[in-house]
Amino acid sequence: RERFGRQRMTETVTLLAERRQDAGKGAARKLRAGGRVPAVIYGSGRETESLSLQSAEFDRILQRIAGGSTIIDLQVEGTEVRVLIREIQRHPTRKTVTHVDFLEVHAGEALTLEVPLALVGTPDGVRNGGGVLEQFLREIEIEVLPKDIPERVKVDVEALTIGDSLHVADITVENAKILTDSTTTICTVVPPRVEAEPTEGIEEEEEAAEPEIIRKGRAEDETEGEASEE
């Protein structure tokens, strides 16, 4: 049985950006105070360019895209650039976005990126054996052309019985080369967890026996004392 389904190609979204001239921490703080996020764009054959984004708009986009595997049409003051998000920096406590790195992509250039795995179905060992499905790998690294980037890779787990596992070698990604080690385990169906038998009764017996040992020791001490007096 196939362990994979047809992959859904990732959507393309549009994001507005502005060029920025000022650099440094002071300029970045001023941008953030004004509701914007500093960013840079780089890529093969182009110089790194400093940009800024509208914070609220970028946050809305992050809620609907698949992280670093979604192509973004970045509109930079009338110029369109196709990019991927390469890195997002966040405030350590507030978790707000403080900086974004974009990578320009070209139609004929293969990219190396990570895409999420989506387990599909309920394993036989869970339905009929009371087992538990444990997932160990949530993303795989692939090499792929921009037009073929999948939003996610679906992994069919319906046929797994208790003790069965799926590995990277068991799946394929359409029009892409998988770079993650083929022996890496994706998921396993483990047996039902057995609760430990209660030990309360045993502990009570041990507690009941303890005073007897103490009393026995005292009796022996008293006997030894009497013998020494004699």
Side-chain angles (χ1 to χ4, degrees):
R1 179 171 179 166
E2 289 185 335
R3 300 296 194 185
F4 58 92
R6 183 175 178 81
Q7 314 308 330
R8 176 183 171 186
M9 294 301 106
T10 185
E11 65 173 322
T12 301
V13 298
T14 300
L15 177 64
L16 300 179
E18 295 179 1
R19 292 186 177 91
R20 60 187 175 96
Q21 304 300 326
D22 297 334
K25 294 183 179 179
R29 281 195 295 267
K30 186 175 179 180
L31 276 175
R32 296 183 193 109
R36 301 190 68 81
V37 178
V40 295
I41 178 174
Y42 51 83
S44 175
R46 72 168 297 148
E47 294 184 1
T48 300
E49 186 175 8
S50 297
L51 308 171
S52 73
L53 318 168
Q54 213 278 333
S55 299
E57 181 186 9
F58 186 65
D59 287 340
R60 284 194 297 270
I61 286 177
L62 283 182
Q63 293 174 7
R64 25 181 302 240
I65 68 173
S69 60
T70 298
I71 296 290
I72 297 175
D73 283 333
L74 197 63
Q75 305 287 333
V76 185
E77 299 177 3
T79 303
E80 181 177 291
V81 186
R82 306 197 83 195
V83 300
L84 282 173
I85 297 173
R86 262 304 183 236
E87 183 179 357
I88 296 176
Q89 297 177 25
R90 294 182 181 273
H91 189 278
T93 56
R94 294 195 295 270
K95 302 304 179 184
T96 53
V97 176
T98 58
H99 194 275
V100 185
D101 286 13
F102 292 109
L103 171 69
E104 182 179 11
V105 300
H106 302 280
E109 290 186 7
L111 301 167
T112 298
L113 48 81
E114 292 185 337
V115 291
L117 296 174
L119 304 188
V120 179
T122 303
D124 176 82
V126 174
R127 294 194 310 272
N128 302 313
V132 178
L133 177 63
E134 293 188 351
Q135 184 174 359
F136 303 105
L137 187 67
R138 300 190 178 277
E139 292 181 325
I140 58 169
E141 187 176 44
I142 63 173
E143 184 179 284
V144 63
L145 291 173
K147 67 181 181 65
D148 296 321
I149 297 174
E151 182 176 344
R152 61 181 60 86
V153 177
K154 295 181 179 180
V155 182
D156 183 357
V157 298
E158 286 276 352
L160 297 181
T161 60
I162 291 177
D164 284 349
S165 297
L166 280 181
H167 301 85
V168 172
D170 297 317
I171 66 173
T172 62
V173 182
E174 193 173 352
N175 299 321
K177 178 182 179 181
I178 298 176
L179 302 179
T180 303
D181 187 342
S182 62
T183 63
T184 305
T185 302
I186 297 173
C187 61
T188 301
V189 178
V190 299
R193 293 184 174 88
V194 179
E195 294 184 3
E197 295 184 2
T199 58
E200 184 177 347
I202 298 174
E203 292 174 353
E204 288 178 354
E205 290 177 5
E206 290 175 351
E207 290 174 359
E210 189 176 356
E212 294 178 7
I213 296 173
I214 294 172
R215 284 197 297 271
K216 181 178 179 182
R218 287 176 180 171
E220 290 174 350
D221 291 342
E222 290 171 0
T223 303
E224 292 176 358
E226 290 172 357
S228 60
E229 288 175 1
E230 291 178 356

